[in-house]
Amino acid sequence: MKFILFFVLGLLIACSDKAEEDGESNDLGKNKDYLKEILERGELRAITTYSGTTYFLYRGEPMGFEYELLQQFTEQLGVDLKMVIAEDENELINMLKEGKGDLIAYGYTILEERKEHIDFSEPLYYSSQVLVQRKPNNWRRMRRHQINQQLITNPVQLIGDTVSVKINSAYASRIENLNEEIGGKIHIDTIPGDMATGKIIRKVAKGELKYTIADKNIAKIYASAYPELNIDTKISLTQRIAWGLPNYSENLRDTLNNWIESQKNTLNYNVVYNKYFKNTRLHKRRVKSSFYSLNEGKISRYDDLIKKYADKHDWDWRLLASIIYQESKFKPTSESWVGAQGLMQIMPATAKDLGITDTTDPQQSVRGGTAYLDQIYGKFDKVEDSIQRLKFTLASYNSGLGHVRDAQRLADYNDLDRYQWDENVEKMILELAKPKNYNRDFIRYGYVRGREPFNYVRQIFSRYEHYKRFIGEEGKAKETQVASTD
């Protein structure tokens, strides 16, 4: 038997070597079912970049066109979503080919040269490239035709001039094609792939760069915030913008394409698109805000207060910020249907025990809320893993310590680990919504709407992961903030 096994193995190796000698591709991706792997893993890994339209943080909430669509797609698949961040735009394709993600959720222009490396989804939308340039200094006192006389209105006028674009981008490719089309030389000032399109456009608005190129829908929203910009000169024909997929990922590609086609003409899709590409008022408010992750490392106006009390109890302030967002969305006058109030939604009786005289006072709420969390944390000293202990603490903060203890008892009954929240006690908190379980003689606190603490813990930790990606522990925005679309 061993002889046969070694013979077959040797034959496979020999065939593989022969294929390589003959110059044949030995691409293992041809035999890989990407969709099946995602479903079995229970998680879709989306490679993307930080940007003003793709994925960012605003007032404590992760947002973005790609991010919102991904949430909806993964919900349909029944899996979790994990954002995998590329530090440099030029690494997106390499990361996909190296298996660091399942798809590139980024507004990629479909180019023939890119098709040699990756597959593409159905187009999510269409756009064209435009020249971004600064109007004359005194443009407000000039007539339109006078302004146009001092602007580039035809790409031919760029011959001999320089345009600043990201290296290896569709914009750089377009300039190279233009040089062929117009029979002249437009010089390229190459910008590193880790610089945001929005930042490049702002440099043009400030006069630090002369020209750049951007997709029209991106340029339009930035021009609304910087009226000194002109984006009227078209550089390309209409182009298709899509997501990138691994080669030979037919099942994943077909599933994604069917979903895209089912969504593109819906009201929901148009609402999401308009939110990021047409709502210029919202965009202007966002890009000027201190609570926009591409500007400063702030989550809320209460960051200093949150840091103060998080440090006191040795908590990561970003986790505490995620809890407060979950409870009140940073609104100190918020009140729940059961009477909980303030930033940390503390019940009146609990507030009295904690010495809180005004639950709407941010300082009192955060002080009392963190003290209460610390008290609960101390109740789970037998939970050795610190992350699991935090999850038990949060579930108790939401539903009450008694219900979580009942879930632990039910875990014992079902031969699960009472000291492991994930996939163990969290499942039992769900089961406590069923009469057959909450009526058992060892259950002391009865019925609980288990879906609430189950989702509460997951949502807080999911948001916490977003916060950690955008904001450093010291409270500064992370440097990795790259392009919008390309």
Side-chain angles (χ1 to χ4, degrees):
M1 185 68 182
K2 287 184 178 179
F3 172 78
I4 296 173
L5 180 62
F6 282 120
F7 175 79
V8 173
L9 182 60
L11 185 61
L12 289 171
I13 293 171
C15 290
S16 176
D17 290 343
K18 182 67 168 59
E20 289 183 9
E21 288 173 7
D22 292 343
E24 295 177 7
S25 172
N26 189 22
D27 193 341
L28 296 176
K30 289 183 178 180
N31 302 316
K32 186 175 181 180
D33 189 333
Y34 289 91
L35 180 61
K36 181 181 179 182
E37 187 175 289
I38 291 166
L39 296 175
E40 290 178 348
R41 189 194 312 133
E43 179 182 77
L44 176 98
R45 300 166 303 160
I47 305 171
T48 191
T49 66
Y50 298 137
S51 79
T53 55
T54 298
Y55 177 51
F56 59 90
L57 195 67
Y58 179 57
R59 293 190 176 276
E61 182 179 2
M63 299 178 69
F65 176 72
E66 264 73 21
Y67 176 68
E68 286 202 31
L69 292 186
L70 283 166
Q71 281 188 309
Q72 294 171 22
F73 180 55
T74 52
E75 184 177 345
Q76 176 166 305
L77 289 180
V79 299
D80 294 331
L81 170 63
K82 180 180 180 180
M83 306 298 282
V84 180
I85 305 303
E87 294 185 2
D88 189 308
E89 175 188 321
N90 296 315
E91 292 301 311
L92 289 166
I93 291 178
N94 287 338
M95 290 174 69
L96 182 67
K97 294 172 79 172
E98 291 168 4
K100 294 180 179 178
D102 304 305
L103 57 80
I104 299 174
Y106 176 81
Y108 250 178
T109 303
I110 299 178
L111 300 175
E112 286 299 320
E113 61 194 67
R114 285 178 175 162
K115 287 182 179 179
E116 296 175 6
H117 303 284
I118 61 172
D119 201 353
F120 283 96
S121 70
E122 284 292 309
L124 290 156
Y125 57 87
Y126 300 86
S127 189
S128 57
Q129 297 176 14
V130 296
L131 183 71
V132 180
Q133 57 186 319
R134 198 175 190 277
K135 296 174 184 175
N137 290 333
N138 59 342
W139 66 274
R140 293 184 185 277
R141 297 192 297 273
M142 300 171 67
R143 296 181 181 275
R144 184 175 181 83
H145 75 276
Q146 294 174 316
I147 295 173
N148 288 339
Q149 287 174 355
Q150 297 188 43
L151 294 175
I152 298 293
T153 56
N154 189 305
V156 174
Q157 296 172 263
L158 288 169
I159 294 177
D161 219 325
T162 300
V163 179
S164 301
V165 292
K166 293 186 294 297
I167 190 170
N168 297 327
S169 65
Y171 310 137
S173 297
R174 182 59 194 141
I175 293 175
E176 291 170 358
N177 290 336
L178 268 176
N179 287 338
E180 293 291 327
E181 294 169 15
I182 64 181
K185 182 68 174 177
I186 302 172
H187 301 284
I188 300 176
D189 169 31
T190 53
I191 294 174
D194 61 353
M195 184 177 290
T197 294
K199 188 172 183 178
I200 298 170
I201 292 175
R202 285 195 292 270
K203 283 182 173 289
V204 174
K206 294 177 181 178
E208 296 173 11
L209 294 176
K210 194 172 182 181
Y211 307 115
T212 192
I213 295 175
D215 289 338
K216 186 175 181 179
N217 55 347
I218 302 297
K220 187 175 180 181
I221 59 174
Y222 278 98
S224 69
Y226 302 98
E228 62 270 31
L229 293 176
N230 177 275
I231 60 168
D232 294 336
T233 302
K234 205 170 180 179
I235 296 294
S236 76
L237 298 174
T238 299
Q239 296 177 317
R240 297 172 297 162
I241 310 298
W243 289 351
L245 292 158
N247 288 323
Y248 314 114
S249 58
E250 286 84 359
N251 288 347
L252 175 58
R253 184 195 62 208
D254 292 346
T255 300
L256 176 60
N257 285 345
N258 288 337
W259 181 80
I260 290 172
E261 288 300 316
S262 71
Q263 293 295 308
K264 278 170 67 173
N265 294 321
T266 64
L267 175 62
N268 173 71
Y269 184 89
N270 286 299
V271 166
V272 175
Y273 181 86
N274 292 342
K275 179 178 179 180
Y276 294 103
F277 297 114
K278 289 190 175 182
N279 192 330
T280 56
R281 179 181 296 181
L282 176 61
H283 180 77
K284 283 193 285 187
R285 187 188 315 145
R286 190 167 66 234
V287 298
K288 303 292 184 181
S289 173
S290 298
F291 310 116
Y292 176 47
S293 60
L294 272 65
N295 287 342
E296 299 180 33
K298 293 183 178 180
I299 297 175
S300 77
R301 68 181 63 188
Y302 304 107
D303 284 3
D304 289 341
L305 186 63
I306 293 169
K307 290 173 190 174
K308 175 182 174 181
Y309 287 103
D311 287 345
K312 185 175 180 180
H313 298 285
D314 199 27
W315 281 48
D316 187 330
W317 76 276
R318 296 165 298 182
L319 176 59
L320 182 56
S322 181
I323 296 169
I324 294 174
Y325 180 90
Q326 186 78 17
E327 291 289 349
S328 65
K329 294 188 177 180
F330 304 114
K331 298 174 182 177
T333 58
S334 178
E335 182 173 354
S336 75
W337 66 276
V338 294
Q341 296 179 327
L343 287 177
M344 296 196 70
Q345 291 292 279
I346 300 171
M347 293 293 287
T350 306
K352 186 176 180 180
D353 292 340
L354 294 168
I356 298 173
T357 57
D358 182 1
T359 53
T360 64
D361 176 63
Q363 191 275 337
Q364 290 193 56
S365 184
V366 178
R367 174 191 61 76
T370 52
Y372 187 42
L373 283 168
D374 202 43
Q375 288 176 20
I376 300 172
Y377 189 80
K379 304 288 186 182
F380 292 99
D381 57 315
K382 292 183 180 179
V383 179
E384 295 180 357
D385 184 275
S386 60
I387 298 299
Q388 295 303 307
R389 190 172 177 181
L390 285 169
K391 291 182 177 182
F392 276 103
T393 301
L394 295 181
S396 301
Y397 190 86
N398 175 260
S399 66
L401 178 61
H403 290 303
V404 175
R405 292 298 194 205
D406 276 346
Q408 287 183 294
R409 296 183 188 101
L410 193 57
D412 286 338
Y413 179 80
N414 286 284
D415 295 323
L416 296 173
D417 188 346
R418 68 179 287 121
Y419 300 121
Q420 185 77 11
W421 177 261
D422 293 338
E423 299 298 324
N424 286 269
V425 179
E426 69 170 352
K427 289 183 176 179
M428 296 301 96
I429 202 85
L430 291 172
E431 290 297 314
L432 285 174
K434 300 175 181 178
K436 70 174 184 178
N437 289 315
Y438 67 71
N439 285 325
R440 296 186 186 278
D441 57 6
F442 58 84
I443 297 299
R444 301 177 184 175
Y445 293 89
Y447 168 82
V448 62
R449 289 192 295 185
R451 181 61 59 178
E452 288 189 12
F454 178 89
N455 288 336
Y456 181 83
V457 173
R458 290 197 166 200
Q459 288 166 2
I460 286 173
F461 267 84
S462 175
R463 189 179 305 105
Y464 174 44
E465 289 302 315
H466 290 295
Y467 287 2
K468 287 194 294 183
R469 290 190 189 101
F470 286 106
I471 313 295
E473 231 179 319
E474 70 284 359
K476 294 181 180 178
K478 292 191 175 178
E479 292 298 319
T480 309
Q481 299 166 354
V482 293
S484 300
T485 61
D486 170 33

